[in-house]
Amino acid sequence: MTNQSKATVIQAPVISNHEAMPGVHLLWLEAPEIARVASPGQFVMACCGRENLLRRPMSIHRTDEDKTKLALMFTVVGKGTSWLSQRQPGEKLDLLGPLGKGFSVDPASFNLLLVAGGLGIAPLTFLAQTAAAGNRSIALLLGAKTGSQLCPGHLLPQGVRCFTATDDGTAGSKGIITDLLPKYLDWASQVFACGPSAMYRTIANQNRKLLRRKEIQVSLETRMACGLGLCYGCTVKTRQGLKQVCQDGPVFNIDDILWDEFVDI
Ligand code: FES
């Protein structure tokens, strides 16, 4: 669903902010105006201090039951996210959202397969939280380079069967998460993935080779300046022509993206 018309700018008070796993922060905000209209896969543009002029896109990780609060989960990788990681309860964050077109769950789909590479778990948690309310069966394939980079169990969505893989074998199966995918494709009514573009390329190839042709939705990450369809900085090539990730996505059907022309950030 496109929800751009419901986007608003708010000053959201910080409720809590802590390191959830090494280098990854979980930030809860009081943001009822955004939380009550947001859908899984949508994102916000967060202001990251006066020195960082451009807002940063951040997927919505989850909301609370009352839909008054929302959480962002992010890796601390530069000045903007470092600034965000230091915000204290009571401080206010300038947020624009919710933005973009999120995941689309078919009402007739009861077996949902989620595939998360690294911090791809961030938006998929919101999807699982929402979809579980519809009595669906949900399986999560969760991958990371090493065990310490796997999202801890207490932060995973409730009522979801989780299967893990790590590159070095320190948790779950040894290997990449897409190694597990063929085993679950037949079971799945729909597949939703979030992770690095290398993971998407592998899934696209697997799906083609296995001739299962499942509908697979992926959440793209690109550079974004405005988040509003104004700057064209997030344009990607698709089978339907040029699309803007901030407005037409960030969720796309995996087969629509021209992966040979997709530029990694
Ligand atoms: Fe400006 Fe998408 S970020 S058009």
Side-chain angles (χ1 to χ4, degrees):
M1 179 176 69
T2 303
N3 225 352
Q4 226 84 333
S5 60
K6 295 179 182 169
T8 182
V9 176
I10 63 167
Q11 301 299 313
V14 173
I15 299 167
S16 64
N17 190 3
H18 74 277
E19 193 173 38
M21 50 188 145
V24 174
H25 266 247
L26 180 63
L27 171 61
W28 275 98
L29 297 154
E30 189 79 39
E33 303 90 338
I34 296 176
R36 70 169 176 258
V37 293
S39 60
Q42 287 194 296
F43 65 97
V44 294
M45 296 291 284
C47 187
C48 295
R50 287 195 190 140
E51 286 179 14
N52 304 290
L53 292 179
L54 296 177
R55 288 190 174 99
R56 290 184 65 101
M58 313 198 93
S59 58
I60 297 171
H61 171 52
R62 66 199 313 163
T63 62
D64 70 331
E65 273 185 20
D66 296 337
K67 296 204 170 282
T68 58
K69 305 173 181 66
L70 64 80
L72 305 175
M73 184 181 261
F74 57 92
T75 308
V76 182
V77 284
K79 282 185 186 169
T81 47
S82 172
W83 183 88
L84 270 186
S85 71
Q86 293 162 37
R87 305 293 36 94
Q88 299 296 316
E91 290 185 51
K92 289 185 176 173
L93 274 192
D94 179 298
L95 285 190
L96 164 64
L99 295 167
K101 179 175 151 283
F103 296 107
S104 176
V105 179
D106 188 324
S109 294
F110 283 96
N111 294 337
L112 306 189
L113 180 60
L114 316 186
V115 187
L119 213 61
I121 187 62
L124 293 177
T125 299
F126 191 13
L127 175 63
Q129 176 191 10
T130 307
N135 253 345
R136 294 183 171 88
S137 179
I138 303 172
L140 167 67
L141 307 184
L142 178 63
K145 286 197 169 72
T146 188
S148 63
Q149 293 177 0
L150 282 174
C151 185
H154 72 278
L155 292 179
L156 291 176
Q158 299 291 306
V160 169
R161 287 180 300 139
C162 183
F163 306 92
T164 57
T166 50
D167 294 3
D168 62 5
T170 49
S173 320
K174 187 175 190 310
I176 56 177
I177 195 62
T178 47
D179 292 345
L180 303 183
L181 186 56
K183 189 173 166 189
Y184 297 95
L185 267 179
D186 275 342
W187 168 86
S189 319
Q190 279 183 284
V191 183
F192 305 90
C194 188
S197 56
M199 182 181 100
Y200 297 154
R201 288 186 167 95
T202 304
I203 294 174
N205 283 335
Q206 279 178 327
N207 202 33
R208 215 169 288 132
K209 276 189 198 148
L210 296 170
L211 295 176
R212 284 172 173 145
R213 312 301 296 173
K214 291 273 177 180
E215 191 216 2
I216 300 176
Q217 296 173 28
V218 297
S219 179
L220 294 188
E221 190 179 357
T222 59
R223 293 195 194 288
M224 288 188 193
C226 70
L228 293 167
L230 304 173
C231 72
Y232 291 87
C234 63
T235 303
V236 291
K237 291 183 179 175
T238 75
R239 295 189 194 287
Q240 290 80 39
L242 298 178
K243 298 284 182 187
Q244 289 162 284
V245 173
C246 68
Q247 284 214 123
D248 302 307
V251 176
F252 292 87
N253 188 307
I254 199 166
D255 288 330
D256 286 344
I257 302 298
L258 300 178
W259 291 107
D260 289 344
E261 311 209 31
F262 184 80
V263 180
D264 297 309
I265 61 170

